[in-house]
Amino acid sequence: MKTGIGKLLRNRFMIGILLSITFLQLGIWVRNFAVLMFVMEKTNGSALAVSLISVAEFAPIFFFSFIGGVWADRWKPKKTMVWCDIGSAISVAFVLLALLLGTWKVIFLATLVSSILSQFSQPSSMKLFKKHVPEDQLQSGMSMFQSVIAVFTLLGPVLGTLCYYQFGISVSIGLVSVCFLLSATVLSLLPADVNIDNMKHSNSIRTEMAQGLHYIKDRQILLILGTCFCFTGLGIGFIQPLGIFLITDRLGLPKEYLQWMLSLNGMGMILGGALTVVLSKFMQARSLLAVGLAVNALCMVISGLSTFMWLTLLAQFFIGMVTPGFQVAVQTLILKNTEQAYIGRVNGLLSPLFMGSMLITMSMSGWLKDQLSVMVMYLLAGAFFGVGLLITAPLFRKTTLAEAKGMNIL
């Protein structure tokens, strides 16, 4: 195990991509929370203004994810990532200039532009993973990648809020631009792009989108993952905005106790990220996926039924702990079962399935909670994760899938 991790840490690509994601996560979290606090102050806590931040952050996933995936399959991945980070830094610099000139509403542009560019950059990073990380180390590499994200999930809100209140919006936005530039600098030092596939690209974007759809349709394992994404997205959407009601309705505690639940969930993610790095040498990706789905389903049911603070916190901790393994398993299965030439389009199509499904039920969750109860909502979420677990059962029939399509589901 140590030898495997040691090899990864001697891999020039892994060092570069881990440094890059560290700078990006720092910039993203400072941007998100500095913008949130700034807009809250400027609008006296306007719910509409705050919601526009979320729109700027998530809308590009629907409108640009698949398009970004198509172009990621056409462009050189390293160059794409470098220019996307540079573009994000430039957009943030323009926002800083506008702030200095007194036009604060342009602050939404920083989030919107960098969110759009990330839809081109993210699938390119997966193409580089496929190229530069040996297949037997993909799962460990993705575990290290997700561990960095898990750390910032806990520390990011604190760092972003602290930066804003200590230095103000101008310095915070300036720091974001520097972080994107540092990421671009690190990525520029990665091994040069080469012709990593011999696929002849069509002049028609629509044709290449159709090719991506047919590619997924013809591969049962990708269809399974896509269907699983839909059900887990629907499940998370039921409860995503309702965490505070676990505290107030089920436990009868003040809303301020929500911070403890979120903190324990974040701590679970950090521990889970570290455990996933270790377990990746012993557990197959399909097993990590099944454990993640099963634990989520069970802990959501426990959270809904519990009237004890310690039990609710424990359930949320375990949800956080299995989240990195779940994410690593999904990305590993996609990378191992997708040809290099289609990685961008597969990622670009599967990602919106999860987000779109989540937003469908999230848009109804408040109304449904009033009609039913927070307990029923968490039970429904657990049930959807249970269905997701059942959907993945064919992944354990190795001969059916691997031999039929020549795929690797380990």
Side-chain angles (χ1 to χ4, degrees):
M1 185 269 292
K2 291 182 179 179
T3 304
I5 294 177
K7 286 182 180 178
L8 272 174
L9 292 177
R10 289 194 296 271
N11 184 318
R12 178 180 167 189
F13 167 77
M14 277 305 304
I15 294 296
I17 204 70
L18 289 176
L19 282 174
S20 170
I21 194 63
T22 298
F23 288 128
L24 285 178
Q25 286 290 302
L26 178 59
I28 288 169
W29 282 104
V30 170
R31 179 200 69 195
N32 288 352
F33 273 80
V35 169
L36 176 63
M37 300 301 171
F38 180 72
V39 170
M40 287 282 287
E41 286 188 5
K42 284 289 185 178
T43 64
N44 294 318
S46 166
L48 175 61
V50 171
S51 67
L52 286 176
I53 299 173
S54 297
V55 170
E57 185 176 352
F58 292 111
I61 296 176
F62 298 103
F63 295 106
F64 294 96
S65 181
F66 196 22
I67 297 172
V70 172
W71 284 106
D73 284 336
R74 296 166 68 99
W75 293 338
K76 293 181 177 180
K78 172 188 167 182
K79 183 179 290 187
T80 299
M81 294 174 69
V82 169
W83 280 108
C84 283
D85 284 351
I86 291 174
S88 294
I90 292 173
S91 70
V92 172
F94 275 115
V95 170
L96 178 58
L97 179 61
L99 286 174
L100 294 176
L101 295 175
T103 308
W104 73 267
K105 292 182 181 179
V106 76
I107 193 77
F108 294 103
L109 182 66
T111 301
L112 180 63
V113 172
S114 59
S115 294
I116 292 172
L117 291 174
S118 69
Q119 302 312 308
F120 293 82
S121 179
Q122 192 273 339
S124 294
S125 69
M126 294 300 102
K127 289 181 75 72
L128 288 179
F129 252 98
K130 180 85 169 180
K131 172 64 180 175
H132 294 294
V133 179
E135 187 168 300
D136 62 342
Q137 296 177 357
L138 270 177
Q139 192 166 311
S140 296
M142 287 304 306
S143 299
M144 296 170 72
F145 186 84
Q146 290 294 335
S147 294
V148 174
I149 295 176
V151 168
F152 276 97
T153 300
L154 181 62
L155 298 182
V158 177
L159 293 173
T161 304
L162 182 65
C163 185
Y164 174 73
Y165 282 114
Q166 287 293 318
F167 305 109
I169 188 63
S170 296
V171 173
S172 298
I173 292 297
L175 176 62
V176 172
S177 185
V178 170
C179 286
F180 284 128
L181 287 175
L182 286 173
S183 175
T185 301
V186 169
L187 291 173
S188 68
L189 301 176
L190 293 179
D193 283 317
V194 293
N195 294 324
I196 52 181
D197 65 74
N198 297 318
M199 179 180 176
K200 292 183 179 180
H201 295 287
S202 165
N203 290 326
S204 170
I205 295 297
R206 183 179 298 179
T207 298
E208 296 200 6
M209 285 183 172
Q211 290 173 347
L213 288 169
H214 285 299
Y215 186 86
I216 293 175
K217 186 181 70 174
D218 293 339
R219 281 154 179 79
Q220 186 181 6
I221 190 168
L222 296 180
L223 280 176
I224 289 172
L225 290 175
T227 308
C228 180
F229 272 17
C230 288
F231 277 91
T232 54
L234 289 170
I236 288 180
F238 275 124
I239 61 174
Q240 183 69 24
L242 303 182
I244 193 167
F245 295 107
L246 278 183
I247 301 298
T248 58
D249 290 12
R250 291 299 295 167
L251 302 179
L253 296 170
K255 62 182 182 298
E256 286 77 17
Y257 277 75
L258 177 64
Q259 63 180 314
W260 298 110
M261 189 172 79
L262 296 177
S263 296
L264 273 175
N265 184 268
M267 290 171 63
M269 288 188 68
I270 293 177
L271 177 59
L275 283 175
T276 303
V277 173
V278 176
L279 292 176
S280 290
K281 297 298 294 182
F282 309 104
M283 288 185 70
Q284 299 172 351
R286 57 184 177 176
S287 299
L288 280 174
L289 178 61
V291 169
L293 290 168
V295 172
N296 265 285
L298 177 62
C299 289
M300 286 175 184
V301 170
I302 291 174
S303 296
L305 295 175
S306 171
T307 55
F308 300 100
M309 180 69 170
W310 66 268
L311 184 57
T312 301
L313 292 179
L314 191 63
Q316 292 299 309
F317 175 81
F318 277 107
I319 287 176
M321 194 167 70
V322 298
T323 295
F326 174 83
Q327 294 168 337
V328 166
V330 167
Q331 288 297 334
T332 301
L333 287 169
I334 290 174
L335 287 177
K336 285 188 174 183
N337 294 283
T338 306
E339 297 170 41
Q340 183 80 47
Y342 287 92
I343 287 177
R345 278 165 286 183
V346 170
N347 272 278
L349 187 62
L350 294 184
S351 295
L353 285 178
F354 176 83
M355 189 63 66
S357 301
M358 182 179 74
L359 288 184
I360 289 172
T361 46
M362 190 187 299
S363 65
M364 302 184 296
S365 62
W367 178 81
L368 284 173
K369 182 261 177 187
D370 290 337
Q371 303 303 310
L372 304 170
S373 68
V374 68
M375 179 187 75
V376 173
M377 297 297 285
Y378 271 81
L379 293 179
L380 283 172
F384 272 91
F385 267 80
V387 173
L389 178 62
L390 293 176
I391 289 170
T392 62
L395 295 181
F396 292 85
R397 296 201 295 269
K398 182 177 179 180
T399 53
T400 300
L401 292 173
E403 291 179 3
K405 295 295 181 183
M407 295 286 107
N408 183 358
I409 62 173
L410 298 180

